Amino acid sequence: MAPQRPLPPVEEVRPGLWSVPVPLPGLPRYVVVYVLETPRGPYVIDSGWDNDDSYAGLARGLAQLGTSIAEIRGVVVTHAHFDHYGLAGRIRAESGAWVSLHPLDAEVLTLWETDAAQRHVDILAAAGAPDAVVEAAAQLARPGRRVELPRPDLLLEDGERPPVPGWNLRAVWTPGHSPGHLCFWDEDRELLFSGDHVLPRFPVGMHDAGYHGDPLTDFLGALDRLEELDPDEVLPAHEHRFTDLAPRLAALREHHEGKLAQAMGAVRDGASTAWEVASRTTRRPLESVSGFPLQSLLVDTTACLNALRTRGELRGEPPRLGRPARWFPTA
């Protein structure tokens, strides 16, 4: 096995602003926690996974800045995924810091506390996966131990400002990757903390809204909102910082419009379930994909189908007991 590449170094982004890569248990290899210095102590944007490696990585990074987890005064979270929200409760327990989150992602925490294995089975069934695939997943599913996730202290709506002294942060609601994903715009420094909504190289997946929601349309609308900003630099939670926001927004639109066109073409050719559409728009056979990658692929495909329904190009039949959701051209 090849040795794993080291994480990027801790960097000073601006005076009083630092990026601290925190290791994750899988891919991506790390999340970038941004540390904001203030007269009252450090505040952080995002936190890392709730495990000992992430905790130690964050502690090491803070030590390089001459501070510690115990001195953190606030945790500003972009969204409720485990690599961003996971350590927030542990930080709060050690430091007394407040934790913030959008109300919709605070509601998502209840979903994360349920049995993930059974949820995986339900997604496969609603997408129209073959019976053998659903049955195999059901065999692996066992009633899981219900976890209790810490709840945020502050709920931040669109346009509200987290109480970070000396920083003019404003929450920008950018749903799609999660229902309550927030970017944070500092107009004084012309910096955009983009979380997972805009990464410099790879597009992110959509959240699981099932048959009824439309996260992809929400995501594209949120790109339009960011178009109004003109940041000097974009600070994402993964990959690397970059300066040209407008071309990246255009590239993301092009990517998703291409996926929508592929999905529409598959339905016109006779595919009627998310599984059938994904089978025709994915390079490798779906039977060779399993676990979370398969779930993500089907969730993203369903997001395309929901968006095409919103545009009036498809009509859908909701999933019923024993039957998956089905999609048909409106013409």
Side-chain angles (χ1 to χ4, degrees):
M1 180 180 295
Q4 194 172 46
R5 288 176 296 150
L7 298 185
V10 173
E11 290 185 90
E12 186 174 26
V13 181
R14 294 285 192 282
L17 172 63
W18 300 81
S19 67
V20 177
V22 173
L24 299 175
L27 293 175
R29 293 188 304 123
Y30 61 90
V31 62
V32 179
V33 172
Y34 293 99
V35 182
L36 287 61
E37 295 179 353
T38 81
R40 297 181 186 175
Y43 292 70
V44 295
I45 297 179
D46 289 332
S47 66
W49 200 276
D50 186 13
N51 67 13
D52 290 341
D53 285 344
S54 284
Y55 181 87
L58 177 59
R60 285 193 301 269
L62 292 172
Q64 292 184 48
L65 312 183
T67 187
S68 67
I69 289 174
E71 295 183 50
I72 294 174
R73 302 272 62 88
V75 185
V76 183
V77 183
T78 59
H79 60 297
H81 292 173
F82 290 158
D83 51 334
H84 299 259
Y85 189 76
L87 276 180
R90 194 166 170 180
I91 293 171
R92 178 171 59 192
E94 183 165 339
S95 67
W98 52 256
V99 175
S100 70
L101 198 62
H102 188 278
L104 290 178
D105 268 25
E107 294 177 12
V108 165
L109 295 176
T110 303
L111 178 63
W112 300 141
E113 290 175 331
T114 60
D115 189 348
Q118 183 57 50
R119 181 165 163 260
H120 176 67
V121 174
D122 295 341
I123 289 171
L124 293 177
D131 291 343
V133 175
V134 177
E135 290 168 6
Q139 288 295 321
L140 295 174
R142 297 287 185 271
R145 179 176 61 87
R146 182 181 175 88
V147 298
E148 291 189 9
L149 299 174
R151 294 306 194 262
D153 306 289
L154 301 177
L155 297 177
L156 291 180
E157 297 274 8
D158 181 52
E160 294 186 333
R161 301 180 184 276
V164 181
W167 290 82
N168 187 24
L169 298 178
R170 173 170 60 87
V172 183
W173 182 41
T174 49
H177 183 56
S178 78
H181 188 286
L182 292 173
C183 295
F184 290 92
W185 168 238
D186 188 323
E187 187 172 3
D188 295 344
R189 296 170 176 83
E190 297 184 323
L191 297 176
L192 176 65
F193 298 90
S194 64
D196 280 2
H197 190 72
V198 179
L199 303 181
R201 291 186 299 165
F202 294 107
V204 295
M206 299 299 107
H207 72 83
D208 174 30
Y211 172 82
H212 298 286
D214 191 355
L216 181 51
T217 296
D218 292 341
F219 179 89
L220 294 172
L223 293 182
D224 293 341
R225 299 193 63 206
L226 295 184
E227 192 91 64
E228 303 168 4
L229 307 177
D230 186 22
D232 181 61
E233 191 169 20
V234 181
L235 284 63
H238 301 286
E239 300 177 11
H240 56 81
R241 304 189 302 275
F242 62 102
T243 56
D244 295 325
L245 178 62
R248 184 59 186 146
L249 298 180
L252 285 169
R253 289 192 193 94
E254 182 179 4
H255 167 81
H256 287 292
E257 291 297 335
K259 288 181 62 178
L260 288 167
Q262 287 182 328
M264 190 66 213
V267 176
R268 286 200 183 104
D269 288 342
S272 66
T273 67
W275 180 276
E276 291 170 351
V277 171
S279 296
R280 300 186 187 202
T281 57
T282 305
R283 293 179 180 177
R284 57 177 174 159
L286 292 194
E287 288 78 8
S288 69
V289 188
S290 62
F292 185 73
L294 176 60
Q295 176 175 311
S296 297
L297 176 59
L298 294 174
V299 166
D300 277 356
T301 301
T302 302
C304 287
L305 297 169
N306 282 327
L308 290 167
R309 178 180 56 187
T310 297
R311 295 182 178 192
E313 298 181 45
L314 292 182
R315 61 181 177 86
E317 295 179 357
R320 297 182 177 89
L321 185 63
R323 292 183 54 190
R326 293 193 176 275
W327 307 86
F328 307 94
T330 55

